Amino acid sequence: MSLAFPSLRGAAPPRSVYVHVPFCRHRCGYCAFSVARASSPPVDAWLEAVRLDLDGWFEAAGWTEPAELDTIYVGGGTPSLLGGAGMERLAGVLAERFRWDPGSVEWTAEANPTSLDPEVAESWRALGVNRISLGVQSLDDAVLDWLGREHDAAGARRAVERCRDAGFERLNVDLLFGLPAEVRRSWRREVSEARELGAEHLSLYGLTAEPRTPLGRRVELGRTVMPEDDRYAREYLEAADLLSGAGYEHYEVSSFARSGHECRHNWCYWDGAPYLGLGPSAHSFLPPYRIWNVFRWDAYRRAVTRMAATEAVPTGTGGGAASLREGWEEIRGARARLERVWLGLRTRRGLLPGDLVRESSSAPEDPVARWMQADWIREVEGADGRRIRLTPAGWLRMDELVARLAG
Ligand code: SF4
């Protein structure tokens, strides 16, 4: 792609920011995120790079006043490796450009059970972090071992207790399903145990064998076989059933929340609201442009330093910024419509029936009618009238439906 960056002048300042911490003590065999291995991360260099990245956005968009934030999300990688001091310094970097009300901001930080010690949890809470997302993934030691995680099930439970002891009232627990058949697990028991952890929010992710990961290579060589569709579907539907029965609302394809505990930051993505992403691989959305940073930490660090040295910001034809902002796309017309359908269908909010009117009608049948018959889509009464919403069985087929609707 040519990197003649569009002008961002006049873009509305975002009310949400994502910061990527690209460090982990070791790399899990299935991980395709932007992660560098580091037992003690280069926090100084990372913070300086994030500060320059943030300055670049403000200069490119011509924002001169601090922007008000509703949500902050620090993800990774392993943000808990920042410790209390690193998170405090990150807050200082963000405060150079943003303002937030500690009483109303949603400030999430991801943590791994092994590096979230009591001091980290307490210092984060004192700083204003008010939501922790714990990378639990499984509550079975053999499964955690197969995944290459550093913690065991007891460690995951201790991490939940530490969060509560530190005063966190909003916890998310991530769980992985759809593992190969060679991994023996009782998924039903694990979901029940996860439910008993008492987290306000659970996120379920299906394992994928990404290319260029150890898992991807094993699958390519035929040494590991990913599960059949029916196992994947069975586990997803079983978890949806167990969690809904326990009072969690299944409000997005992967997300379950107790009343009042939905993730506001993620809603900003699903609503198509503007957000900034800082750090390697982070995506930003300044409508109508989605722009993403270079993927790897070392390339990001070099690019950000070069951008600062040449004082080139991504307002024109690239310069030093071109290698930092790796790519961009314009979300308009048919693309914008496709995104609206996809984002609407992935949440409980669903779509207005009019949103589904096809622009091209080359398909021989109406997929929506067929999906309603199969109970993959339902009509519900919303505050603004009739809406259509996917059922859990429909969410399993969401990509197929969106592809059909996109023509
Ligand atoms: S902890 Fe998460 S980000 Fe880090 S290597 Fe494992 S899967 Fe990747």
Side-chain angles (χ1 to χ4, degrees), residues 24 26-28 30-31 33 35 76-78 112 149:
C24 286
H26 95 135
R27 186 180 267 280
C28 306
Y30 58 91
C31 179
F33 295 125
V35 162
T78 309
N112 272 350
R149 304 292 300 194

Side-chain angles (χ1 to χ4, degrees), residues 334-335 337-339 341-342 345 355-363 367 398-407:
R335 181 65 200 261
R337 180 178 170 277
L338 174 63
E339 282 217 5
V341 170
W342 189 70
L345 286 180
D355 293 330
L356 290 177
V357 173
R358 294 167 56 85
E359 281 166 3
S360 91
S361 55
S362 52
M398 183 173 72
D399 290 347
E400 184 197 330
L401 180 64
V402 173
R404 295 291 311 273
L405 291 168

Side-chain angles (χ1 to χ4, degrees), residues 25 29 57 62 73 75 78 80 152 180 182 207 223 225-226 233 251 256 267 271 277 283-284 318 374:
R25 276 206 284 247
W57 285 116
Y73 194 108
T78 309
S80 36
D152 57 16
E182 73 193 54
L207 181 72
R223 294 188 184 144
V225 179
M226 292 305 282
Y251 72 101
F256 299 79
W267 268 114
D271 280 342
H283 284 54
S284 300

Side-chain angles (χ1 to χ4, degrees), residues 52-277:
L52 293 169
D53 187 352
L54 180 56
D55 287 350
W57 285 116
F58 271 69
E59 287 163 29
W63 300 320
T64 53
E65 297 297 319
E68 286 289 328
L69 287 179
D70 290 332
T71 68
I72 302 168
Y73 194 108
V74 185
T78 309
S80 36
L81 290 180
L82 293 179
M87 187 66 88
E88 187 171 1
R89 291 172 64 201
L90 172 63
V93 168
L94 296 178
E96 289 173 21
R97 293 293 191 171
F98 295 114
R99 297 280 175 272
W100 59 88
D101 175 352
S104 61
V105 74
E106 178 189 88
W107 183 351
T108 305
E110 292 179 356
N112 272 350
T114 41
S115 46
L116 188 77
D117 59 35
E119 292 72 34
V120 174
E122 281 160 26
S123 58
W124 281 9
R125 187 67 199 96
L127 196 60
V129 177
N130 50 27
R131 186 172 183 272
I132 298 267
S133 178
L134 273 177
V136 169
Q137 316 308 354
S138 167
L139 288 164
D140 180 315
D141 288 348
V143 175
L144 287 165
D145 193 46
W146 185 89
L147 289 168
R149 304 292 300 194
E150 286 183 307
H151 64 276
D152 57 16
R157 291 193 176 89
R158 275 196 304 276
V160 169
E161 281 168 24
R162 264 178 221 146
C163 291
R164 297 306 192 196
D165 290 348
F168 284 97
E169 294 175 355
R170 299 186 67 199
L171 288 188
N172 169 62
V173 162
D174 282 348
L175 288 180
L176 272 174
F177 71 99
L179 272 52
E182 73 193 54
V183 186
R184 301 265 169 231
R185 81 190 303 193
S186 167
W187 173 242
R188 197 177 176 83
R189 181 180 58 76
E190 284 192 58
V191 175
S192 300
E193 288 179 5
R195 205 177 50 181
E196 282 154 22
L197 292 174
E200 288 71 27
H201 194 285
L202 281 117
S203 302
L204 297 185
Y205 299 108
L207 181 72
T208 52
E210 300 292 338
R212 292 188 295 280
T213 60
L215 175 62
R217 280 191 288 275
R218 281 208 311 273
V219 169
E220 236 176 71
L221 294 170
R223 294 188 184 144
T224 290
V225 179
M226 292 305 282
E228 302 287 335
D229 285 354
D230 60 347
R231 173 172 174 178
Y232 188 96
R234 196 175 58 245
E235 290 189 352
Y236 178 77
L237 294 175
E238 198 166 45
D241 199 41
L242 280 168
L243 295 174
S244 301
Y248 287 90
E249 173 146 25
H250 193 176
Y251 72 101
E252 189 264 349
V253 57
S254 305
S255 310
F256 299 79
R258 297 249 181 240
S259 174
H261 290 287
E262 294 177 8
C263 178
R264 278 165 43 204
H265 184 84
N266 286 346
W267 268 114
C268 130
Y269 300 147
W270 305 324
D271 280 342
Y275 56 86
L276 271 195

